[in-house]
Amino acid sequence: MKCFERAALPNLTDEERKKNVHFVVIGGGPTGVEFAAELHDFVNEDLAKLYPDVKKYVNISVIEAGEHILTMFDKRITHFAEDKFKRTGIDLKTNFKVVKVSDKTITMSNPTTGEIAVPYGLAVWSTGIGTRPIIMDFMKQVGQGNRRVLATDEWLRVLGCDNVYALGDCATISQRKVMEDVDSIFRVADKDNSGTLSVKNIKNVLGDIYQRYPQVELYLKTNQMKGFHDLLKDKETEELNIEEFKKALAQVDSQVKMLPATAQVAAQEGAYLADCFNRMNTCEENPEGPLRIRGAGRHRFKPFRYRHLGQFAPLGGEQTAAQLPGDWVHVGHSTQWLWYSVYASKQFSWRTRMLVVTDWGRRFFFGRDSSSL
């Protein structure tokens, strides 16, 4: 609003007006894309009526260091979003890296054009967050000073100290690699110490393998394999030695991925820890969980496993892109109402939910302008 007020002042040149209403969004992830889309709708459907002489100077730019926006989504959504932004006049600047932000200009670089300084009225930084000082100090104390975030094990315990847990954006889970433990897995499965494994031996430890190494199941799914036996289909004999076993699992660790820094991950981690703490006394008496592969004994709790429930990206114009489990991808107005439903269900109080539903109901029955009154 201040940018529009400044641009509406008399005796300004066209260049000064363009600068004041040049809105730059740095980062082409879901947050940056949603902000740019909603800002475009707000400008064209609301502010254009209040400042009709200023609207023609408005420019919305999205700067992304990669080749595309929404790279964490399916390519179909990425292409649809880019085409929609081009149609609506939102300026996409991909392959540009912001190197400096001053109070008047944003300097970005591109391998082809070099550095370019662009004047702006409002800049929105949407490329991620920095580490908090308290976390940085703690990381140095526990010997993790060379990392960007805290490293935890699969039970969300900070590596290098006892009885300290970390979750959310300040931490990441150091997922166990299959190839690091392949010798131990082989020894556990080789119960008769014959030096070879049969398919039956492997089936006996499949549950532990899937539990401790989720990348195995993900690898099978990604490569459209029905089960673990598909990894062994190239073997020449019924028995596997250690080298053949390693060869079958060689590519599995390529599926290890860091969990995204999203509220969905943090919420599931919080629920997991709360459940563990609430059951701690019971588990002292009755330990549960999978057998350790690296040593004797049992863990008190099963390791944390993230369950991806899907993701949404509002694209403006009452359209939303959705990517849900099972490779279900959809973009359009119907998906917008699915997003409304999910958003309302995640509110903490019924009062807030009713306010949200009422606001969107007015928009549906009386048009978008009624929601801005």
Side-chain angles (χ1 to χ4, degrees), residues 173-339:
I173 299 174
S174 296
Q175 297 189 47
R176 194 183 299 275
K177 301 290 185 68
V178 172
M179 294 308 294
E180 293 177 358
D181 295 342
V182 67
D183 292 323
S184 299
I185 298 172
F186 190 89
R187 285 196 302 270
V188 170
D190 185 18
K191 296 185 181 297
D192 57 2
N193 296 320
S194 64
T196 60
L197 292 182
S198 65
V199 175
K200 181 179 180 181
N201 293 142
I202 296 174
K203 286 183 177 179
N204 290 335
V205 296
L206 271 184
D208 282 350
I209 292 176
Y210 288 155
Q211 184 74 37
R212 298 293 300 279
Y213 309 96
Q215 63 265 36
V216 175
E217 200 166 3
L218 181 59
Y219 182 82
L220 296 176
K221 181 180 178 181
T222 302
N223 291 275
Q224 298 179 340
M225 296 180 179
K226 295 181 180 180
F228 194 88
H229 61 276
D230 286 343
L231 284 173
L232 314 174
K233 63 182 180 181
D234 295 330
K235 70 182 184 66
E236 298 179 356
T237 63
E238 292 294 327
E239 301 287 330
L240 270 74
N241 59 34
I242 182 66
E243 295 303 322
E244 291 173 326
F245 190 62
K246 287 181 179 179
K247 183 179 178 181
L249 296 172
Q251 299 299 319
V252 169
D253 285 332
S254 64
Q255 297 297 316
V256 173
K257 297 180 180 179
M258 306 300 287
L259 295 180
T262 62
Q264 185 177 167
V265 174
Q268 291 186 31
E269 290 176 335
Y272 165 81
L273 276 184
D275 181 58
C276 289
F277 293 158
N278 289 338
R279 296 187 296 116
M280 193 165 285
N281 290 335
T282 303
C283 290
E284 287 287 350
E285 301 175 359
N286 302 294
E288 63 174 322
L291 284 168
R292 287 181 187 264
I293 284 181
R294 288 220 221 186
R298 292 176 181 265
H299 293 293
R300 290 187 299 175
F301 305 105
K302 295 180 180 179
F304 171 75
R305 290 291 175 259
Y306 169 62
R307 182 186 177 191
H308 185 61
L309 302 177
Q311 50 193 354
F312 292 87
L315 303 176
E318 298 296 325
Q319 289 186 311
T320 292
Q323 183 174 348
L324 302 180
D327 195 33
W328 190 86
V329 173
H330 193 269
V331 181
H333 297 283
S334 59
T335 314
Q336 177 79 5
W337 287 98
L338 176 60
W339 162 236

Side-chain angles (χ1 to χ4, degrees), residues 80-233:
F80 181 90
E82 291 176 344
D83 292 340
K84 186 178 188 303
F85 274 18
K86 291 176 182 177
R87 291 195 307 269
T88 55
I90 296 177
D91 185 19
L92 281 179
K93 296 185 181 299
T94 55
N95 287 319
F96 276 92
K97 182 180 180 181
V98 174
V99 295
K100 182 180 179 182
V101 179
S102 68
D103 60 342
K104 295 182 180 179
T105 62
I106 292 176
T107 304
M108 51 186 158
S109 67
N110 178 276
T112 304
T113 61
E115 290 192 359
I116 302 174
V118 179
Y120 71 96
L122 173 68
V124 178
W125 191 271
S126 179
T127 65
I129 59 176
T131 307
R132 302 293 297 175
I134 186 174
I135 300 298
M136 294 178 67
D137 293 340
F138 179 67
M139 289 169 65
K140 294 177 182 177
Q141 295 177 35
V142 297
Q144 297 189 26
N146 59 340
R147 297 179 56 88
R148 295 183 60 185
V149 292
L150 281 165
T152 72
D153 62 14
E154 300 152 290
W155 291 266
L156 308 185
R157 298 175 298 193
V158 176
L159 300 180
C161 53
D162 297 325
N163 298 321
V164 178
Y165 298 81
L167 69 156
D169 295 354
C170 74
T172 184
I173 299 174
S174 296
Q175 297 189 47
R176 194 183 299 275
K177 301 290 185 68
V178 172
M179 294 308 294
E180 293 177 358
D181 295 342
V182 67
D183 292 323
S184 299
I185 298 172
F186 190 89
R187 285 196 302 270
V188 170
D190 185 18
K191 296 185 181 297
D192 57 2
N193 296 320
S194 64
T196 60
L197 292 182
S198 65
V199 175
K200 181 179 180 181
N201 293 142
I202 296 174
K203 286 183 177 179
N204 290 335
V205 296
L206 271 184
D208 282 350
I209 292 176
Y210 288 155
Q211 184 74 37
R212 298 293 300 279
Y213 309 96
Q215 63 265 36
V216 175
E217 200 166 3
L218 181 59
Y219 182 82
L220 296 176
K221 181 180 178 181
T222 302
N223 291 275
Q224 298 179 340
M225 296 180 179
K226 295 181 180 180
F228 194 88
H229 61 276
D230 286 343
L231 284 173
L232 314 174
K233 63 182 180 181

Side-chain angles (χ1 to χ4, degrees), residues 1-23 51-59 121:
M1 293 300 293
K2 290 181 179 178
C3 290
F4 271 83
E5 289 289 343
R6 287 195 295 265
L9 292 174
N11 302 323
L12 291 182
T13 65
D14 288 350
E15 291 301 319
E16 290 174 325
R17 296 186 197 279
K18 289 179 181 179
K19 170 187 175 298
N20 283 316
V21 287
H22 182 200
F23 304 102
Y51 305 92
D53 297 329
V54 176
K55 180 188 176 296
K56 60 183 179 181
Y57 299 106
V58 174
N59 181 25

